[in-house]
Amino acid sequence: MKKLLFLCGSLRAASSSRATIRALETSLNGKCAIDHAEIATLPFYNADITDDPNVKRLIDQIAAADGLLFVTPEYNYSVPGLLKNAIDWASRPAYQSVFKGKKCFIISVSGGLLGGVRAQSHLKYILNGMLAQVFVWQEVVITQANAKVKDGVMADEAVIDFATQAAEAFIGSL
Ligand SMILES: Cc1cc2nc3c(=O)[nH]c(=O)nc-3n(C[C@H](O)[C@H](O)[C@H](O)COP(=O)(O)O)c2cc1C
Protein backbone atom coordinates (compact mmCIF):
# COMPACT_ATOMS: atom_id res chain seq x y z
CA MET A 1 0.00 0.00 0.00
CA LYS A 2 1.39 3.44 -0.94
CA LYS A 3 2.24 5.90 1.84
CA LEU A 4 0.81 9.39 1.71
CA LEU A 5 2.12 12.17 3.94
CA PHE A 6 -0.18 15.13 4.58
CA LEU A 7 1.38 18.55 5.16
CA CYS A 8 -1.10 21.09 6.51
CA GLY A 9 -0.41 24.80 6.18
CA SER A 10 -2.59 25.90 9.10
CA LEU A 11 -2.36 25.38 12.85
CA ARG A 12 -5.83 26.68 13.76
CA ALA A 13 -8.03 24.28 15.67
CA ALA A 14 -10.94 25.17 13.36
CA SER A 15 -8.77 25.11 10.22
CA SER A 16 -10.58 24.37 6.96
CA SER A 17 -7.33 22.87 5.64
CA ARG A 18 -7.25 20.44 8.55
CA ALA A 19 -10.97 19.79 8.06
CA THR A 20 -10.25 18.88 4.42
CA ILE A 21 -7.52 16.47 5.51
CA ARG A 22 -9.95 14.84 7.94
CA ALA A 23 -12.52 14.33 5.18
CA LEU A 24 -9.87 12.89 2.86
CA GLU A 25 -8.69 10.50 5.56
CA THR A 26 -12.21 9.06 5.52
CA SER A 27 -12.69 9.02 1.75
CA LEU A 28 -9.24 7.48 1.17
CA ASN A 29 -9.62 4.89 3.91
CA GLY A 30 -8.11 1.58 2.77
CA LYS A 31 -6.66 3.12 -0.41
CA CYS A 32 -3.34 4.24 1.05
CA ALA A 33 -1.44 4.49 4.33
CA ILE A 34 -1.62 7.98 5.82
CA ASP A 35 0.81 9.94 7.97
CA HIS A 36 0.80 13.59 9.07
CA ALA A 37 3.84 15.87 9.09
CA GLU A 38 4.40 17.55 12.46
CA ILE A 39 5.54 21.02 11.44
CA ALA A 40 4.31 23.16 14.34
CA THR A 41 7.23 22.16 16.55
CA LEU A 42 9.98 23.03 14.08
CA PRO A 43 12.33 25.89 14.99
CA PHE A 44 12.73 28.75 12.53
CA TYR A 45 15.19 27.72 9.86
CA ASN A 46 18.75 28.23 11.04
CA ALA A 47 21.64 26.44 9.37
CA ASP A 48 23.49 26.49 12.71
CA ILE A 49 20.95 24.03 14.14
CA THR A 50 22.08 20.63 12.96
CA ASP A 51 20.58 18.19 15.44
CA ASP A 52 16.95 19.15 16.01
CA PRO A 53 14.88 15.97 16.51
CA ASN A 54 11.75 17.53 14.98
CA VAL A 55 13.65 18.41 11.82
CA LYS A 56 15.01 14.88 11.63
CA ARG A 57 11.52 13.47 12.10
CA LEU A 58 10.10 15.62 9.29
CA ILE A 59 12.87 14.60 6.90
CA ASP A 60 12.37 10.94 7.83
CA GLN A 61 8.62 11.24 7.27
CA ILE A 62 9.13 12.79 3.83
CA ALA A 63 11.71 10.14 2.92
CA ALA A 64 9.34 7.35 3.98
CA ALA A 65 6.39 8.71 1.99
CA ASP A 66 5.61 7.72 -1.59
CA GLY A 67 3.76 10.99 -2.05
CA LEU A 68 3.23 14.31 -0.29
CA LEU A 69 -0.23 15.89 -0.19
CA PHE A 70 -0.12 19.55 0.80
CA VAL A 71 -3.36 21.12 2.01
CA THR A 72 -2.80 24.78 2.66
CA PRO A 73 -4.42 28.18 2.89
CA GLU A 74 -3.05 31.26 1.21
CA TYR A 75 -1.54 33.93 3.46
CA ASN A 76 -1.04 37.33 1.87
CA TYR A 77 -1.06 35.92 -1.64
CA SER A 78 1.45 33.16 -0.91
CA VAL A 79 2.39 30.09 1.12
CA PRO A 80 2.01 30.43 4.94
CA GLY A 81 5.36 31.00 6.66
CA LEU A 82 4.83 27.91 8.81
CA LEU A 83 4.75 25.68 5.73
CA LYS A 84 7.59 27.49 3.97
CA ASN A 85 9.71 27.06 7.09
CA ALA A 86 9.11 23.30 7.08
CA ILE A 87 9.92 23.10 3.38
CA ASP A 88 13.12 25.10 3.88
CA TRP A 89 14.26 22.68 6.60
CA ALA A 90 13.78 19.65 4.40
CA SER A 91 15.22 21.32 1.28
CA ARG A 92 18.90 20.98 2.15
CA PRO A 93 21.29 20.05 0.60
CA ALA A 94 20.07 22.01 -2.39
CA TYR A 95 18.98 19.84 -5.35
CA GLN A 96 19.90 16.69 -3.40
CA SER A 97 17.34 16.93 -0.61
CA VAL A 98 14.62 14.51 0.34
CA PHE A 99 12.32 16.46 -2.01
CA LYS A 100 14.32 15.48 -5.10
CA GLY A 101 12.03 13.36 -7.29
CA LYS A 102 9.37 13.29 -4.55
CA LYS A 103 5.84 13.20 -5.92
CA CYS A 104 3.63 15.96 -4.58
CA PHE A 105 0.09 17.22 -4.98
CA ILE A 106 -1.44 20.42 -3.66
CA ILE A 107 -4.91 21.35 -2.46
CA SER A 108 -5.41 24.98 -1.51
CA VAL A 109 -8.18 26.58 0.51
CA SER A 110 -9.29 30.08 1.33
CA GLY A 111 -12.04 31.86 3.14
CA GLY A 112 -12.56 33.92 -0.01
CA LEU A 113 -13.48 33.30 -3.61
CA LEU A 114 -10.09 32.38 -5.09
CA GLY A 115 -9.42 29.23 -3.09
CA GLY A 116 -5.78 30.04 -2.42
CA VAL A 117 -4.89 29.72 -6.08
CA ARG A 118 -1.92 32.09 -5.73
CA ALA A 119 -0.46 30.09 -2.84
CA GLN A 120 -0.94 26.94 -4.91
CA SER A 121 0.92 28.44 -7.81
CA HIS A 122 3.76 29.67 -5.57
CA LEU A 123 4.02 26.27 -3.90
CA LYS A 124 4.33 24.54 -7.27
CA TYR A 125 7.17 26.88 -8.17
CA ILE A 126 8.90 26.23 -4.82
CA LEU A 127 8.58 22.45 -5.26
CA ASN A 128 9.91 22.66 -8.80
CA GLY A 129 12.94 24.50 -7.41
CA MET A 130 13.70 21.50 -5.20
CA LEU A 131 13.34 19.09 -8.13
CA ALA A 132 10.18 17.58 -6.67
CA GLN A 133 7.62 16.20 -9.10
CA VAL A 134 4.30 17.98 -8.84
CA PHE A 135 1.51 15.72 -10.09
CA VAL A 136 -0.34 17.28 -13.00
CA TRP A 137 -4.11 17.16 -12.60
CA GLN A 138 -6.95 19.66 -12.44
CA GLU A 139 -6.23 22.18 -9.70
CA VAL A 140 -8.13 21.55 -6.49
CA VAL A 141 -8.94 24.91 -4.92
CA ILE A 142 -11.52 25.14 -2.17
CA THR A 143 -13.28 28.48 -2.07
CA GLN A 144 -15.18 29.88 0.92
CA ALA A 145 -13.76 26.92 2.77
CA ASN A 146 -14.70 27.88 6.32
CA ALA A 147 -18.40 27.94 5.44
CA LYS A 148 -18.12 24.35 4.21
CA VAL A 149 -16.78 22.90 7.47
CA LYS A 150 -19.11 21.06 9.81
CA ASP A 151 -17.98 19.60 13.13
CA GLY A 152 -14.33 19.95 12.14
CA VAL A 153 -14.71 18.14 8.81
CA MET A 154 -15.00 19.52 5.27
CA ALA A 155 -18.63 18.72 4.62
CA ASP A 156 -19.24 19.91 1.06
CA GLU A 157 -19.87 16.71 -0.87
CA ALA A 158 -18.96 18.07 -4.32
CA VAL A 159 -15.70 19.50 -2.96
CA ILE A 160 -14.71 16.28 -1.25
CA ASP A 161 -15.70 14.14 -4.25
CA PHE A 162 -13.46 16.26 -6.49
CA ALA A 163 -10.58 16.31 -3.99
CA THR A 164 -10.89 12.54 -3.54
CA GLN A 165 -10.79 11.96 -7.30
CA ALA A 166 -7.63 14.03 -7.46
CA ALA A 167 -6.05 12.23 -4.51
CA GLU A 168 -6.93 8.82 -5.98
CA ALA A 169 -5.38 9.79 -9.31
CA PHE A 170 -2.30 11.00 -7.41
CA ILE A 171 -2.07 7.77 -5.41
CA GLY A 172 -2.45 5.82 -8.66
CA SER A 173 0.58 7.66 -10.04
CA LEU A 174 2.87 6.79 -7.12
C1 LIG B 1 -2.29 36.12 7.82
C2 LIG B 1 -3.43 35.78 6.89
C3 LIG B 1 -3.34 36.14 5.57
C4 LIG B 1 -4.36 35.77 4.69
N1 LIG B 1 -4.22 36.07 3.36
C5 LIG B 1 -5.12 35.61 2.48
C6 LIG B 1 -4.90 35.76 1.08
O1 LIG B 1 -3.92 36.31 0.63
N2 LIG B 1 -5.82 35.25 0.24
C7 LIG B 1 -6.93 34.60 0.69
O2 LIG B 1 -7.72 34.14 -0.12
N3 LIG B 1 -7.17 34.45 2.02
C8 LIG B 1 -6.28 34.94 2.91
N4 LIG B 1 -6.49 34.76 4.26
C9 LIG B 1 -7.73 34.14 4.72
C10 LIG B 1 -7.60 32.62 4.72
O3 LIG B 1 -7.93 32.13 3.43
C11 LIG B 1 -8.58 32.00 5.71
O4 LIG B 1 -8.32 32.54 6.99
C12 LIG B 1 -8.48 30.49 5.73
O5 LIG B 1 -9.60 29.98 6.40
C13 LIG B 1 -7.23 30.01 6.44
O6 LIG B 1 -7.10 28.62 6.31
P1 LIG B 1 -7.49 27.60 7.50
O7 LIG B 1 -9.01 27.61 7.59
O8 LIG B 1 -6.97 26.27 7.07
O9 LIG B 1 -6.86 28.11 8.76
C14 LIG B 1 -5.50 35.11 5.16
C15 LIG B 1 -5.58 34.78 6.52
C16 LIG B 1 -4.56 35.10 7.37
C17 LIG B 1 -4.65 34.69 8.82
Side-chain angles (χ1 to χ4, degrees):
M1 192 178 267
K2 298 294 181 184
K3 291 181 199 157
L4 201 59
L5 179 68
F6 278 103
L7 292 102
C8 182
S10 173
L11 298 181
R12 273 186 336 124
S15 161
S16 58
S17 306
R18 185 70 63 190
T20 301
I21 291 174
R22 289 195 191 102
L24 284 172
E25 274 193 289
T26 301
S27 65
L28 297 176
N29 187 28
K31 296 171 187 160
C32 62
I34 287 175
D35 193 10
H36 300 272
E38 240 339 305
I39 63 174
T41 49
L42 295 170
F44 287 124
Y45 182 81
N46 178 347
D48 296 337
I49 302 174
T50 55
D51 58 354
D52 187 276
N54 294 310
V55 172
K56 183 180 180 320
R57 178 158 184 258
L58 174 67
I59 291 172
D60 289 348
Q61 283 184 302
I62 294 173
D66 295 299
L68 311 182
L69 183 38
F70 293 84
V71 184
T72 185
E74 174 175 298
Y75 280 0
N76 297 312
Y77 286 25
S78 191
V79 177
L82 164 86
L83 186 56
K84 182 64 164 52
N85 184 53
I87 291 170
D88 289 342
W89 270 119
S91 70
R92 303 284 98 183
Y95 309 119
Q96 296 298 329
S97 78
V98 74
F99 278 113
K100 186 178 179 184
K102 188 64 66 177
K103 297 191 174 161
C104 302
F105 190 66
I106 303 161
I107 294 173
S108 58
V109 310
S110 85
L113 289 172
L114 292 183
V117 69
R118 290 162 295 213
Q120 176 152 173
S121 144
H122 288 191
L123 184 50
K124 281 182 185 164
Y125 194 61
I126 291 164
L127 292 168
N128 285 343
M130 298 181 310
L131 311 182
Q133 284 182 33
V134 181
F135 179 59
V136 179
W137 209 76
Q138 294 169 74
E139 287 190 330
V140 182
V141 295
I142 306 181
T143 60
Q144 299 182 307
N146 295 298
K148 297 171 180 168
V149 175
K150 203 171 166 202
D151 299 327
V153 180
M154 178 53 63
D156 186 301
E157 208 175 311
V159 163
I160 286 306
D161 279 356
F162 187 56
T164 302
Q165 278 180 50
E168 286 178 352
F170 178 51
I171 292 162
S173 78
L174 298 175

